[in-house]
């Protein structure tokens, strides 16, 4: 059976090759390890290899892991859907939130971010596939939300996050990432520095189109079993 260490090396290698193919600098793209549903022992295994950024999607599960791993120097990212009654815990327990798609949620995160912590890094989740059922705001509504979030004192707006529809074909995978990158770069104002796009199956396409963070779960830990 393939060890976690081997999987991690393979994903790092895929990222490096994609950076090269896109003419980007080595280390330009941050690997975010998506550890949702996986045990803390898997997180520790990757930590020992040098992995420091981990992402979770479920608040309760994340907080349990964080307290078990309090002695480790980990940056925790929240990437799941956010209900209003969870913002207080998220504001206290994470360094990054990638899944903000409403001003109400952003305001609560800013209000509830403790003064003892640095501002919370924020990505706005954009729905580039245009499906009503999916979370994320439309590209059309993005400029207004960017302006509003920028004015919130305890947040630091970093960029955008997207989860396009699954596609097999590389060129088809690239399209929504390219569309998002172009739309964001066309906005006026201070440029955003973060494109959180690309997962296990499409990280090469995302890196080709300017991803700065790829969020990888299955590629590192194997398939998830939901309880
Ligand atoms: C679960 C999840 C991932 C990881 O997906 P894989 O296909 O397992 O790499 C990435 N991003 C988000 C928002 C997720 O919820």
């Amino acid at each position: 059976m393939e060890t976690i260490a081997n999987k991690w090396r393979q994903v790092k290698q895929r990222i490096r090759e994609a950076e090269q193919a896109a003419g980007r600098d080595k280390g330009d793209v941050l690997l975010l390890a998506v550890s949702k549903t996986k045990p803390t022992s898997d997180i520790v295994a990757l930590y020992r290899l040098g992995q420091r950024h981990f992402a979770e999607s479920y608040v309760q599960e994340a907080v349990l892991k964080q307290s078990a791993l309090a002695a480790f120097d980990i940056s925790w990212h929240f990437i799941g859907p956010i209900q209003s009654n969870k913002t207080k815990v998220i504001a206290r327990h994470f360094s990054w939130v990638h899944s903000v798609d409403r001003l109400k949620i952003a305001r609560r995160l800013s209000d509830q971010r403790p003064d003892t912590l640095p501002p919370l890094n924020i990505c706005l989740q954009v729905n580039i596939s245009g499906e009503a059922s999916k979370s994320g705001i439309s590209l059309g509504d993005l400029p207004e939300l960017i302006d509003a979030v920028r004015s919130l004192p305890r947040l630091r707006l970093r960029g955008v996050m997207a989860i396009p529809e699954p596609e097999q074909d590389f060129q088809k995978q690239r399209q929504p990432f390219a569309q998002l990158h172009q739309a964001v770069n066309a906005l006026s104002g201070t440029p955003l520095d973060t494109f959180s796009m690309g997962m296990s199956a499409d990280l090469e396409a995302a890196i080709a189109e300017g991803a700065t963070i790829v969020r990888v779960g299955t590629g590192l830990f194997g398939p998830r079993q939901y309880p």
Side-chain angles (χ1 to χ4, degrees), residues 34 36 57 79-80 125 161 163 198-201 215-219 222 224 226:
V34 178
K36 65 185 181 206
S57 298
I79 61 172
Q125 184 173 349
M161 186 273 263
I163 315 173
M199 316 198 294
S200 297
R215 307 177 311 272
V216 180
T218 313
R224 286 178 289 275
Y226 289 94

Side-chain angles (χ1 to χ4, degrees), residues 2-216:
E2 193 112 57
T3 63
I4 284 195
N6 280 340
K7 292 202 182 96
W8 185 76
R9 288 189 195 100
Q10 280 165 16
V11 170
K12 295 290 274 189
Q13 183 63 23
R14 283 175 63 192
I15 292 172
R16 188 157 312 151
E17 284 169 12
E19 284 170 343
Q20 266 166 359
R24 300 180 55 186
D25 290 339
K26 186 181 171 198
D28 222 23
V29 179
L30 178 82
L31 171 58
L32 179 56
V34 178
S35 47
K36 65 185 181 206
T37 79
K38 297 296 173 180
T40 52
S41 54
D42 283 2
I43 297 176
V44 171
L46 283 194
Y47 186 91
R48 296 222 166 97
L49 298 166
Q51 180 68 34
R52 291 292 178 272
H53 290 263
F54 291 87
E56 293 282 338
S57 298
Y58 311 104
V59 175
Q60 264 185 314
E61 178 192 344
V63 169
L64 285 173
K65 288 178 185 173
Q66 288 168 346
S67 57
L69 298 169
F72 294 74
D73 173 29
I74 290 176
S75 282
W76 292 100
H77 297 235
F78 190 79
I79 61 172
I82 307 174
Q83 293 159 311
S84 292
N85 63 357
K86 295 283 164 45
T87 53
K88 188 169 181 181
V89 183
I90 294 171
R92 285 165 186 264
H93 287 264
F94 290 85
S95 327
W96 283 76
V97 180
H98 294 232
S99 43
V100 173
D101 63 0
R102 283 177 289 157
L103 183 55
K104 180 189 172 193
I105 295 295
R107 283 208 183 104
R108 290 176 67 92
L109 290 171
S110 181
D111 290 345
Q112 294 167 337
R113 180 68 167 174
D115 288 332
T116 49
L117 296 175
L120 185 58
N121 294 294
I122 297 291
C123 290
L124 301 177
Q125 184 173 349
V126 182
N127 180 354
I128 26 181
S129 300
E131 286 189 21
S133 59
K134 285 257 177 87
S135 33
I137 54 157
S138 69
L139 273 178
D141 293 337
L142 183 61
E144 202 180 319
L145 187 59
I146 287 178
D147 283 344
V149 170
R150 275 212 164 111
S151 72
L152 296 172
R154 299 294 297 140
L155 303 185
R156 182 170 171 215
L157 181 63
R158 300 298 298 270
V160 289
M161 186 273 263
I163 315 173
E165 283 297 288
E167 280 285 354
Q168 301 292 323
D169 178 70
F170 183 68
Q171 295 307 330
K172 282 191 186 143
Q173 288 178 346
R174 287 179 68 154
Q175 282 168 16
F177 297 132
Q179 193 193 356
L180 179 62
H181 200 176
Q182 282 158 20
V184 169
N185 281 356
L187 296 173
S188 61
T190 323
L192 298 169
D193 64 17
T194 302
F195 288 87
S196 170
M197 46 189 207
M199 316 198 294
S200 297
D202 58 9
L203 67 89
E204 284 88 355
I207 291 171
E209 297 298 345
T212 61
I213 298 181
V214 291
R215 307 177 311 272
V216 180

